[in-house]
Amino acid sequence: MRPAWTADGIGSKGKRVEEALRSGLRHGRWAAGEKIPSVRAMAEELGVHRLTVLKGYRLLEEEGLLEASYRSGYYVRAEVPAGEAAGSGVRWSYGAGTAYGAESRLSDIHRRAVRYRMSEALLDPTLLPNRFLARHAQEVIASQPLLLSTYSTVMGDGELREAMAGYMQDRRLELSAEELMVTTGAQQGMDLAFRALLQPGDKALIERPTYSPAIDMLRQLGVRMLPVEIRPDGYDLDRVEKLMAAERPKLFYLNPTYHNPTGYTVPVRQRKALLELAERYRCILIEDEAYSDLYFHEPPPAPLFAYDTEGWVVYLRSYSKYIAPGLRIAFLAARPPLLAAIRPLKALADGGTPLLGQKLFQSFFFSHRMQEHLAKLRVAVSMRKEAMEQALSASGWSWESPAGGLNLWVRLPEGMQASRLLERSLELSAAFVPGPICDPLDAMQDRIRLSYSLLDERRLAEGLARVLEAAEGMG
């Protein structure tokens, strides 16, 4: 029988200590037999009381993951007990376990029940023409009654791919329907591309900061990440070239248009230069674009894929943020050799994105009403961004105002830790994304991502007041 402070009895701070320890063990922060930080050092790092850390250490010692040495400290066990699933805290009687310590830190935040959710870069459902979508869906099903009685192909519905290829060609992207795959959200496309092109031990360039699930996916695959800072004016291309030349990474995952989480947009000259570097050093570019239609003034530059003539770009184009998000429709575009590597994994993953959703998306997206609605949507989202900036104007916090997208990347005052602020904000029913989970180096405690698209102006002001109240309590 466990002591009273174990498992559910350790509280939210204790749970955070436990999760930090398990994450460190899973990701190789401490090797087998290595001494972990002292109780005092870990308490300072996580901003909690030393007794809370000690309880966490004792819990993992009881589970056999750590061992204590008298007057020396705690060490990682040289051998993990047989039959324990890494990070689960549960001992199985039959020796089954996960191959990798999979985690989704962003999903963990989204699961928290809060009133003011500024952690999700999603549209407020009330901003969408829901009655039109519902009526249109009924018409599509009535006119095509066999939709629920058959599968799609692995690559996706041919009619939709033909229509989307023509639409993209009108927007400076030269490709055919055979170079498009329909995916269930861009995140599935990212996962398929990573698994098709990378093996454990490979190296990959990744922006710092970046979309946190990309970090979690690469860690699960056992890939060594090489961070590249993204700034308001783009990348340090000299550093990018040095990394490509010295490390020979297999790919570079990047989000150059209204970047998540910063909102930055990489200029045209750098986009062209990145293609030249990719060709020179044989590094595939995984371009993730989810927000390019959500610009506030001028449209953004053409994607890198528009300049790709030699097949070095895998282009992920999501519409699931603002075209019937419940359908989760996105597209993966690549030249035939790359698609040939990715297609078998799609077949194994789901056998093809559901046909009904594809047909509904096609009918919605190419309707005059939906294209007209996009213009109104840009205005509504821009107004919410301005409302968030107004609510933060007296805080002393700083940020670069984005020209599009759904997020503010905010710098906190010196000495304030994002993870501690999140913990206090959650207690006040407000959520955001802390900087460390967007950082492949697990740092950036001085940054938070605030999404302004899900809440209306009034609730944004109320939610930000909760976050600022939490910050004031830390002073």
Side-chain angles (χ1 to χ4, degrees):
M1 181 172 156
R2 291 182 173 177
W5 45 260
T6 61
D8 294 337
I10 63 176
S12 61
K13 293 184 179 180
K15 190 67 176 175
R16 182 155 62 87
V17 171
E18 181 188 346
E19 290 172 351
L21 291 170
R22 294 191 191 282
S23 178
L25 293 171
R26 285 197 297 267
H27 298 142
R29 178 178 176 183
W30 311 292
E34 182 180 348
K35 183 180 179 181
I36 66 174
S38 69
V39 170
R40 180 189 296 272
M42 184 61 77
E44 292 176 352
E45 177 181 333
L46 298 178
V48 298
H49 195 277
R50 281 177 285 172
L51 181 59
T52 305
V53 174
L54 180 61
K55 290 176 178 179
Y57 281 15
R58 287 177 175 172
L59 173 60
L60 268 65
E61 179 190 12
E62 181 196 351
E63 294 179 6
L65 299 177
L66 302 179
E67 56 187 353
S69 177
Y70 181 62
R71 289 188 176 179
S72 177
Y74 285 84
Y75 292 78
V76 179
R77 278 279 300 271
E79 295 183 2
V80 176
E84 172 143 355
S88 69
V90 178
R91 297 186 182 185
W92 303 100
S93 61
Y94 45 82
T98 55
Y100 299 100
E103 64 178 351
S104 176
R105 294 169 295 168
L106 188 59
S107 177
D108 289 343
I109 294 173
H110 293 341
R111 289 205 309 266
R112 299 292 294 267
V114 296
R115 184 175 181 184
Y116 302 103
R117 189 171 299 282
M118 294 169 286
S119 57
E120 290 193 79
L122 298 175
L123 277 182
D124 179 350
T126 65
L127 293 178
L128 294 172
N130 296 295
R131 290 184 180 177
F132 164 75
L133 295 176
R135 185 172 64 252
H136 220 59
Q138 291 176 338
E139 293 173 357
V140 170
I141 295 172
S143 64
Q144 303 182 63
L146 296 182
L147 283 178
L148 295 174
S149 304
T150 186
Y151 285 168
S152 172
T153 65
V154 170
M155 290 291 290
D157 178 61
E159 185 181 29
L160 173 58
R161 289 188 292 123
E162 286 284 356
M164 186 54 64
Y167 178 84
M168 290 184 174
Q169 287 170 8
D170 291 342
R171 283 150 182 79
R172 298 172 288 176
L173 299 181
E174 293 299 324
L175 79 169
S176 66
E178 288 68 35
E179 294 171 312
L180 276 178
M181 172 187 288
V182 182
T183 63
T184 307
Q187 195 160 308
Q188 185 190 48
M190 183 197 315
D191 178 59
L192 293 172
F194 286 171
R195 290 192 289 120
L197 302 174
L198 294 168
Q199 296 180 1
D202 284 344
K203 300 171 185 176
L205 297 178
I206 188 168
E207 295 162 325
R208 180 174 189 246
T210 192
Y211 180 50
S212 66
I215 299 173
D216 294 339
M217 288 180 191
L218 292 175
R219 280 178 173 164
Q220 186 188 19
L221 288 172
V223 172
R224 180 187 167 197
M225 289 178 282
L226 306 173
V228 173
E229 301 278 347
I230 183 168
R231 308 170 302 200
D233 61 346
Y235 312 107
D236 179 346
L237 290 183
D238 289 337
R239 171 167 170 75
V240 172
E241 181 167 13
K242 287 177 182 177
L243 285 171
M244 285 186 176
E247 302 290 348
R248 297 290 172 169
K250 289 285 187 68
L251 59 80
F252 183 2
Y253 170 74
L254 66 169
N255 177 208
T257 305
Y258 309 135
H259 175 266
N260 185 356
T262 67
Y264 304 155
T265 296
V266 175
V268 172
R269 59 179 178 78
Q270 286 206 4
R271 294 174 185 236
K272 295 178 178 179
L274 281 166
L275 258 298
E276 295 174 2
L277 292 175
E279 293 176 19
R280 186 179 310 157
Y281 297 105
R282 305 185 66 80
C283 177
I284 297 169
L285 305 177
I286 310 294
E287 181 181 15
D288 189 357
E289 187 170 84
Y291 303 133
S292 61
D293 284 334
L294 294 175
Y295 54 87
F296 301 143
H297 301 291
E298 296 297 321
L304 279 77
F305 188 76
Y307 307 109
D308 180 29
T309 59
E310 302 298 324
W312 290 99
V313 178
V314 174
Y315 178 56
L316 306 175
R317 182 68 174 91
S318 175
Y319 293 93
S320 63
K321 294 292 184 184
Y322 51 92
I323 304 291
L327 297 179
R328 297 282 292 147
I329 295 293
F331 298 86
L332 183 153
R335 304 311 176 192
L338 285 173
L339 268 184
I342 296 169
R343 184 184 182 281
L345 292 177
K346 182 66 160 66
L348 292 171
D350 61 12
T353 300
L355 181 60
L356 176 60
Q358 294 181 65
K359 289 297 189 182
L360 291 175
F361 172 86
Q362 181 179 348
S363 183
F364 295 160
F365 185 73
F366 292 102
S367 68
H368 175 74
R369 172 72 182 274
M370 204 67 194
Q371 291 298 316
E372 190 179 65
H373 183 72
L374 276 176
K376 298 178 182 178
L377 192 59
R378 295 182 192 110
V379 174
V381 174
S382 176
M383 290 175 62
R384 294 189 179 198
K385 182 204 72 159
E386 292 169 4
M388 175 173 279
E389 291 177 325
Q390 178 62 35
L392 291 173
S393 60
S395 66
W397 301 359
S398 60
W399 61 90
E400 296 279 343
S401 186
L406 305 179
N407 306 301
L408 282 191
W409 184 238
V410 178
R411 184 187 297 277
L412 301 175
E414 184 176 356
M416 186 176 293
Q417 287 195 327
S419 56
R420 292 187 63 197
L421 179 61
L422 176 62
E423 183 179 325
R424 295 181 66 91
S425 296
L426 289 171
E427 293 172 356
L428 297 175
S429 203
F432 57 81
V433 175
I437 76 168
C438 301
D439 183 2
L441 300 180
D442 292 322
M444 294 194 167
Q445 283 284 1
D446 64 336
R447 295 281 193 161
I448 64 173
R449 190 195 82 175
L450 290 164
S451 298
Y452 44 75
S453 53
L454 189 58
L455 305 180
D456 61 29
E457 287 88 337
R458 177 183 61 81
R459 296 184 67 216
L460 277 174
E462 293 173 355
L464 290 168
R466 302 283 183 103
V467 175
L468 294 172
E469 179 185 344
E472 185 177 348
M474 295 171 61

